[in-house]
Amino acid sequence: MSFVPGATERVDIHLADRSYPILIGTGLLDDPASWAAVPTATSALIVTNTTVAPLYVETVRRAIGGRFRQVHVLELPDGEAYKTWETLNLVFDALLREGSDRKTVLFALGGGVVGDMTGFAAASYMRGVPFVQVPTTLLAQVDSSVGGKTAINHPLGKNMIGAFYQPQLVLCDLATLATLPARELSAGLAEVIKYGPIHDMAFYDWIEENIDALVAREPAALAHAVKRSCEIKALVVGQDEREAGLRAILNFGHTFGHAIESGLGYGQWLHGEAVGCGMVMAAHLSQRLGGVDAAFVARLTRLVERAGLPVVGPALGAERYLELMRIDKKSEGGDIRFVVIDRPGSAVMRGAPEAMVREVLAHCCAA
Amino acid sequence: MSFVPGATERVDIHLADRSYPILIGTGLLDDPASWAAVPTATSALIVTNTTVAPLYVETVRRAIGGRFRQVHVLELPDGEAYKTWETLNLVFDALLREGSDRKTVLFALGGGVVGDMTGFAAASYMRGVPFVQVPTTLLAQVDSSVGGKTAINHPLGKNMIGAFYQPQLVLCDLATLATLPARELSAGLAEVIKYGPIHDMAFYDWIEENIDALVAREPAALAHAVKRSCEIKALVVGQDEREAGLRAILNFGHTFGHAIESGLGYGQWLHGEAVGCGMVMAAHLSQRLGGVDAAFVARLTRLVERAGLPVVGPALGAERYLELMRIDKKSEGGDIRFVVIDRPGSAVMRGAPEAMVREVLAHCCAA
């Protein structure tokens, strides 16, 4: 491991004129040098939530203050249940109330919900204004803040309304992970674990060896996990920004996971919890399709469990699971498509016989 | 004039992998050849309004039927007052209810409101699905359906929430203009007239000579007006898709016009009526800034009037006008920016002293 505590690591997303850096380090929020890539403008709006605001909003406001004549703050309610049009509209209301213009910069300070909503607001306000991702959860640092997917939920499906819209900068301050509730840390680890089976079994080995250090929030372990996750995500997104093909592998565990989230009602299980359990289910499906063996499934199940995540799906009933999965964004013509492991370290998107999916559901879910 | 009645004219928008054709002709809706560029998919959704649906929806449904397993229709209420999130959400509801996927094609059959909303729905549904513009008003054929600007209104400002998102095809069937109310025909002529002062005074001369023929809906005159307008718009959009600079000239008359629409409440004046009057006001401002002479202003005022459009602004009061114009998308740091004519056939975007804007308002608006 090359990580030097205190040093700032940089991962670049290469997307022609939409390229941008991800900065990873400890204490970045306070350091004016971290913000050098942010455009200057008349005004900025920091969008955050009621949980994160008291912890970090003044630090960010102070750090960016020199770049804007005015810096406004909007606190949204906290939680996936608020990832709705109604909440999004609070951002538009604030922007228009403050006389924001096309150069106004939005800052998403918080987890995945704040990032997804602020990103979609930035994509849509006046047809696009610049924005910066300041993820304060592990899940947002390793996944949702990187790559330009923005969205809100619709009552009939998760992330159904959104845009591909890239930020100017992603700033991952590892110090913010110290205040993260344990449940949210585990949720973030689900997305870290994901990168192993789909792309990098050496990283997967490293995660297994360091899972206790990660759960204990050892800074060097977290720094490596965030950096390697961002590198893999950058590689995939750089090849397929708009998910024409390859990028879909990042959704390993998400078809089952989204059904769990939507079926229970958003916010019952955290997104990362649903993805953790969803990966176990997708691994079982992969085994039935011949991509991995039973030992691989057992190994993944054990790792997900050690990360503090659920490994048994809720009892929604097979019909409800199938109904919810049919409206997944990867579906085509009503056929559900899954990301499955075709060999350890490699994933593909494909359909599966309904009878086989039913077997997986029967095997993996509570009765 | 090279127009042959019955022939299909084609204008291309050149935007790399987002390029597409505009087809212009009479009877195109019925002709299967018109739809050859439309992708095939499991399903399609025709979005239209309650006024247009009884006239053309069955024709379109029949013409595209062979390309989709299912074709659904959604009728929205008619009018600018419905260009809101609530109405847009009806499109998402319909898409999700029908199990639409990432390949589902949306068809916008109607005027500017249907086109802007359907385009934004297509941009946002699952982060982007293909769509086709089928404009049935003159305004939509010469302006709003071309160039990929999509949006909804916010109570505090017009077109404040949207996306740049290009269609696969724009199909302008001139036969649909026969059923257009006279007031809407005039509204469309405002956007036709616009192209003269900003880019092509020879076209402006032609419009003056043919304004009676246009108001009388002579097919050859309408065909030329639509084609030349689309050519100029294609030229401008091809150089500046996302309105970094040049494209703003297409908003000649729109700063004053948007203030009129918003100040009166959307739907009181048609968009084209507000733009017609707004062009007269912008011409007065241009004269005060030295770009054109009094004769030019008088000539434009006369043409707008002959097109059946208002030339005197409503009595909103100068303060209200200024307040509304400050939240225009072209504003920066609270300074209003106008598209003005710097010489006949050429436009620029610039600020203007507030005292001068007040003089224009005092001169051009009802007391």
Side-chain angles (χ1 to χ4, degrees), chain A residues 42 85 92-93 96 101-103 124-127 149-150 154 160-162 164 243 329 331-333, chain B residues 42 85 92-93 96 101-103 124-127 149-150 154 160-162 243 329 331-333:
Chain A
T42 305
W85 169 261
F92 297 130
D93 291 346
L96 282 159
D101 61 37
R102 273 183 178 162
K103 297 192 170 174
S124 307
Y125 182 65
M126 294 192 176
R127 301 193 187 95
K149 275 196 183 179
T150 73
H154 183 281
M160 281 292 163
I161 301 164
F164 290 99
E243 199 163 311
K329 287 194 290 301
S331 294
E332 264 185 47
Chain B
T42 306
W85 168 260
F92 297 129
D93 292 346
L96 283 160
D101 61 36
R102 274 183 177 159
K103 296 191 171 175
S124 307
Y125 182 65
M126 295 192 176
R127 301 193 185 96
K149 275 196 182 180
T150 72
H154 182 282
M160 281 293 163
I161 301 163
E243 200 163 312
K329 286 194 291 301
S331 295
E332 265 187 48

